[in-house]
Amino acid sequence: MVYRVIPLPRSLLPLVWDFGELSSETEKWYILKIIHVHFRTDCYNVLCHCCDVIATVLSNVQNYMREMRDECSFVSLRDVERTVQVMLWFYKLIPKLHLD
């Protein structure tokens, strides 16, 4: 998805702060925390042993996307949050797919 960007008025430029970016290690820690928050319920105990693997994969995906040279290079932890929500949606769907 591509967003339309409108320049800030000059009067607001002094109020803009550059907070930099997270280190890879810090980002991976946040990703792991997001995963743990979603997987901590009993129904997802089966996925809990995969938390480190999922965090590593999502961290690598974030790093890969950041290296892109187009609009896809902008990543955020919101993307991770959405990905985990989609994973859990598919996980909840598994029992419904088992037709006897």
Side-chain angles (χ1 to χ4, degrees), residues 38-49:
H38 284 283
F39 288 6
R40 70 177 169 200
T41 61
D42 289 336
C43 59
Y44 302 121
N45 275 343
V46 127
L47 294 174
C48 282
H49 70 280

Side-chain angles (χ1 to χ4, degrees), residues 22-79:
L22 298 173
S23 69
S24 292
E25 296 83 26
T26 304
E27 184 180 49
K28 186 174 179 181
W29 183 84
Y30 277 111
I31 290 170
L32 193 56
K33 292 300 171 191
I34 290 170
I35 291 169
H36 280 292
V37 165
H38 284 283
F39 288 6
R40 70 177 169 200
T41 61
D42 289 336
C43 59
Y44 302 121
N45 275 343
V46 127
L47 294 174
C48 282
H49 70 280
C50 300
C51 286
D52 289 330
V53 173
I54 294 170
T56 300
V57 169
L58 290 177
S59 179
N60 289 339
V61 167
Q62 292 282 86
N63 290 332
Y64 173 78
M65 292 306 294
R66 201 173 283 113
E67 292 172 1
M68 297 288 105
R69 298 289 180 217
D70 55 13
E71 68 274 357
C72 293
S73 66
F74 300 101
V75 296
S76 75
L77 291 173
R78 287 186 301 263
D79 300 323

